[in-house]
Amino acid sequence: MNLRRDVFQAIADPTRRAILLLVASQAMTAGSIAANFDTARPTVSKHLQILTECELLKQEQNGREIYYHINAKKMQEVADFIEPFRNMWDARFNKLEEIMKNKKNN
């Protein structure tokens, strides 16, 4: 059974976030990604599988190697979802900052 994984559950894991940061600037093989972690390669492969199933990473076969790279379109969908929350918190922090400045001046 192929269950669709949740993007936010995928990025909740710190190792998977680190993998996304690694491949954000360049495509990498599973081996080169795994070399950056102090875990077994099958563990990193499982993380790659989850990120691929969530469509946060894309695979590209080049000869015998599979390269992983970021799926910018999917990352943009995540950013678009989060943006209203960021705006809300920015407004709240700006208001708090204004209150604190007024309090300090009184």
Side-chain angles (χ1 to χ4, degrees):
M1 177 163 52
N2 187 8
L3 298 176
R4 181 157 174 107
R5 299 211 185 251
D6 180 68
V7 168
F8 294 100
Q9 286 178 337
I11 61 177
D13 184 275
T15 301
R16 290 192 283 270
R17 288 193 307 269
I19 291 170
L20 290 171
L21 288 172
L22 279 172
V23 299
S25 60
Q26 66 179 0
M28 298 175 76
T29 63
S32 60
I33 293 168
N36 290 278
F37 298 94
D38 192 25
T39 58
R41 182 161 173 185
T43 303
V44 173
S45 292
K46 182 66 176 170
H47 287 301
L48 291 171
Q49 177 187 4
I50 291 168
L51 291 169
T52 303
E53 287 174 4
C54 291
E55 299 176 349
L56 292 170
L57 291 182
K58 289 184 178 181
Q59 295 178 342
E60 179 184 332
Q61 183 106 22
N62 188 356
R64 292 175 37 178
E65 298 285 347
I66 296 175
Y67 286 85
Y68 293 87
H69 35 138
I70 206 92
N71 181 354
K73 182 178 178 184
K74 190 65 167 187
M75 293 298 287
Q76 185 61 54
E77 288 176 19
V78 172
D80 290 345
F81 176 81
I82 293 171
E83 185 67 17
F85 299 102
R86 189 184 67 76
N87 291 338
M88 177 187 66
W89 282 105
D90 282 348
R92 288 182 180 186
F93 284 126
N94 289 339
K95 187 174 182 177
L96 178 61
E97 183 178 28
E98 184 180 318
I99 291 168
M100 292 175 71
K101 282 181 183 177
N102 288 338
K103 185 79 169 169
K104 186 178 179 181
N105 292 333
N106 289 335

